Amino acid sequence: MLCTRLTNARFLTMDPGHPVAHDLGIWQGRIVGLDEAVTSLPAREVIDLQGATVLPGFIDAHVHLAWTGFKENTPSIEGCTRIDDVLAVVEEAVLRKGTPGAWVSIAGYDQRALGRHLTAAELDTVSHGHKLFVLHDSGHGCVVNSAVLDLLPADLPHDGGFLAEGAMGAARALRLPYSQRELAAAIGRAARTCLAEGVTACAEAGIGGTLLGHSPVELGAYQLAREEDLLPLRVQLMVSADRLHPVAAHEADGIPRSLDLGLRTGFGDDRLCVGALKIFTDGGMMARTAALTSPYEGLGHAGQLQDDPDVLADTIVDGHLAGWQLAVHAIGDRAADIALDALERAQRLRPRPGARHRIEHAGLIRPDQLPRFARLGVSAVVQPNFLRYFGDDYAAIMGEERAPWLYRGRAFLDQGITLVGSSDRPVTDGSPLRAIQFMVERASESGQVIGPDEALTVDEALRAYTVAGAFACHWDDRLGSLTPGKLADLVVLGDDPRRVDPSRIADIEVVATYVDGRWTGKAAP
């Protein structure tokens, strides 16, 4: 007897062996058959989906759950375009904080909306003795007031109170980490948001690190969230590379640096596991810190690397030797050169063709870099919604020649490179359907078409959020397609993305989500 049979639907299985089905059977959380293989079987529950379209649950291969959850409950200056309005919001948040001298966090900061960066002196006028930390939306910088600057080394570089990359990490390190219970609650809030948008599995893009981590014991917060039923979707955890340290392992092991006990990619189970090692090589385009080979248009610099190139390369090689899958953050083309060079050296020292290393973002990739991705078997984990929302700005700062290389699609697929969709939520909108629409249209919110030759078909864009996401996370044996034997993670849509006009894909309703064959969100069908 089946646990559940879903019927009267259009199942887009993403499995070329059985691409479309009308019935799907579930037993103990797994898909056991399609169509005639299950229609005559008894079932404890038969659910009529009333003609809905069903896909494998979307996989967001690069997301920040804790950050997303905290941002939802943090005072925000998003939408402010005048310095005075920003300061008014900050002062209101400060006055609500009763503890003298306490830290006050502000979200939603983006200097582009203001025309320039805030300054510590301006924040001082509304700080009332508190320590202010205004986080840039990219996660690659912050503005602090003088009370924070006074606690930092005098030679730490900053621009009037704006701290970028490692300097921001130094400011974050001054604060007591979030408690595991606070983290678990934030993770739970973000997980529910993901489910509402059809995401049933995701990869948390860096825990425990100086730049974006929230606690040195952050993994325990995810365990707590799971134990307290706050984690209704599957999560894979990338570990920040600055958690590695030298180990006295046997010489034959060939492991120069590792986490304690040799923990690495793959530890865990179907609901919570350790994924890739996250390595930052550069910054972000929003903060103008992505590392380019030529300067930004209209600016006198080409971004920055997170460290000396040799140090970055050695970290990549050591992570590979220690047995990790690597997720190398490289947005600019200069950063991608460093990542590709190091990955090539690592594979030469110890070939691991099944490692499935990834380059996160791959925001600006030159034509000559594409064959190197393919030769190394490296996946490109992109965020299409960056161009949907920030594309006009990004195209302007890249210039006419480089703009078509931004967050590529077609060029990756034509080279045989696995193209993986993701959001980097909360940096921007996390909806897979909105990202899929952009991948097809390549149009920003203003209507500007950016890199039209990089457009995909709807099927190709759907694969980026299902089959390719599963492959990049080593989940392809259990997720990514509606294939008998795989886990019954599904998203029920109000319309078929392949049949509507591309301009309507983003507006398709997410009717319900299922994880392990159990309904998890929205009104039960």
Side-chain angles (χ1 to χ4, degrees):
M1 175 180 284
L2 299 174
C3 294
T4 306
R5 179 163 60 87
L6 302 177
T7 187
N8 188 20
R10 182 175 176 81
F11 293 92
L12 306 183
T13 68
M14 307 309 294
D15 180 352
H18 194 146
V20 181
H22 53 76
D23 277 47
L24 181 144
I26 299 170
W27 170 248
Q28 293 187 344
R30 288 188 179 267
I31 300 166
V32 295
L34 301 167
D35 293 344
E36 286 69 29
V38 297
T39 51
S40 61
L41 297 179
R44 294 174 187 165
E45 181 181 34
V46 177
I47 298 177
D48 184 342
L49 292 177
Q50 302 176 11
T53 296
V54 182
L55 281 155
F58 294 130
I59 297 170
D60 190 334
H62 185 118
V63 65
H64 300 278
L65 289 180
W67 179 11
T68 298
F70 284 126
K71 186 175 181 180
E72 289 178 7
N73 282 5
T74 300
S76 177
I77 56 175
E78 184 176 357
C80 293
T81 58
R82 298 173 60 249
I83 298 293
D84 287 347
D85 293 338
V86 167
L87 295 178
V89 173
V90 173
E91 185 166 33
E92 182 181 354
V94 166
L95 294 176
R96 287 201 304 265
K97 197 82 169 183
T99 309
W103 286 86
V104 177
S105 294
I106 303 293
Y109 174 58
D110 186 343
Q111 85 286 353
R112 298 173 303 175
L114 301 172
R116 65 169 176 84
H117 279 298
L118 282 170
T119 67
E122 287 167 336
L123 291 177
D124 289 345
T125 65
V126 294
S127 61
H128 298 283
H130 290 72
K131 304 177 188 72
L132 299 183
F133 184 95
V134 183
L135 180 63
H136 195 277
D137 266 346
S138 68
H140 287 272
C142 66
V143 183
V144 298
N145 65 341
S146 296
V148 177
L149 291 178
D150 290 344
L151 301 175
L152 294 168
D155 59 350
L156 191 75
H158 69 88
D159 180 12
F162 178 73
L163 304 166
E165 308 301 343
M168 180 192 72
R172 287 172 63 99
L174 296 172
R175 306 179 65 173
L176 183 69
Y178 289 102
S179 71
Q180 288 199 350
R181 192 157 298 281
E182 288 174 310
L183 279 162
I187 291 162
R189 286 193 295 273
R192 292 189 293 275
T193 300
C194 290
L195 282 173
E197 294 179 337
V199 175
T200 58
C202 64
E204 164 64 54
I207 62 169
T210 302
L211 191 62
L212 291 178
H214 295 90
S215 168
V217 291
E218 197 164 353
L219 192 152
Y222 282 85
Q223 290 179 291
L224 179 62
R226 179 179 178 179
E227 291 163 1
E228 299 197 346
D229 202 26
L230 297 174
L231 199 63
L233 74 172
R234 304 183 197 282
V235 179
Q236 189 177 88
L237 303 172
M238 299 184 203
V239 177
S240 293
D242 52 1
R243 294 291 107 195
L244 296 183
H245 55 78
V247 291
H250 197 283
E251 184 177 352
D253 293 338
I255 300 175
R257 281 187 279 177
S258 182
L259 294 182
D260 290 332
L261 302 178
L263 190 69
R264 60 176 174 83
T265 303
F267 181 79
D269 58 23
D270 287 334
R271 293 302 291 254
L272 182 64
C273 64
V274 174
L277 185 72
K278 177 73 176 294
I279 301 171
F280 287 93
T281 63
D282 68 344
M285 286 189 187
M286 292 171 64
R288 310 317 196 216
T289 54
L292 312 177
T293 51
S294 300
Y296 291 89
E297 288 288 314
L299 300 177
H301 68 86
Q304 66 187 77
L305 297 170
Q306 293 285 352
D307 209 327
D308 180 85
D310 290 339
V311 172
L312 296 173
D314 287 346
T315 301
I316 291 169
V317 171
D318 285 356
H320 173 89
L321 296 178
W324 287 88
Q325 179 191 22
L326 303 180
V328 184
H329 168 114
I331 293 184
D333 58 333
R334 183 186 178 206
D337 279 335
I338 289 170
L340 293 167
D341 288 346
L343 290 170
E344 188 169 27
R345 174 157 65 98
Q347 290 284 17
R348 189 167 58 246
L349 290 172
R350 182 178 295 171
R352 288 176 52 212
R356 302 188 189 180
H357 295 322
R358 311 156 38 144
I359 289 188
E360 308 299 300
H361 307 296
L364 185 76
I365 300 300
R366 304 187 308 271
D368 64 286
Q369 293 174 315
L370 294 167
R372 299 193 68 195
F373 270 77
R375 188 169 63 251
L376 290 167
V378 174
S379 297
V381 183
V382 300
Q383 297 75 41
N385 274 334
F386 278 13
L387 289 191
R388 179 181 174 92
Y389 293 98
F390 311 138
D392 295 353
D393 173 62
Y394 284 12
I397 61 173
M398 289 301 108
E400 186 176 352
E401 179 185 8
R402 292 181 294 182
W405 306 343
L406 286 164
Y407 293 92
R408 290 175 176 271
R410 171 63 52 207
F412 285 127
L413 294 185
D414 285 351
Q415 291 281 340
I417 298 161
T418 299
L419 175 66
V420 184
S422 69
S423 69
D424 204 17
R425 140 188 356 246
V427 176
T428 192
D429 181 89
S431 165
L433 287 171
R434 281 190 277 275
I436 287 164
Q437 178 174 319
F438 174 83
M439 296 173 92
V440 175
E441 295 185 318
R442 297 289 299 188
S444 71
E445 282 195 306
S446 74
Q448 180 180 356
V449 177
I450 303 164
D453 292 342
E454 297 295 334
L456 305 182
T457 67
V458 175
D459 277 331
E460 289 168 336
L462 289 171
R463 285 184 65 83
Y465 280 89
T466 54
V467 176
F471 177 85
C473 296
H474 288 271
W475 279 331
D476 48 314
D477 62 338
R478 69 203 81 165
L479 295 175
S481 65
L482 304 182
T483 303
K486 291 192 176 183
L487 296 166
D489 290 6
L490 322 166
V491 56
V492 182
L493 302 178
D495 215 330
D496 184 342
R498 304 189 306 182
R499 293 186 169 185
V500 303
D501 187 276
S503 64
R504 290 186 50 227
I505 292 174
D507 298 323
I508 294 174
E509 180 187 3
V510 176
V511 177
T513 50
Y514 288 78
V515 176
D516 282 329
R518 293 190 293 272
W519 170 80
T520 61
K522 293 217 169 186

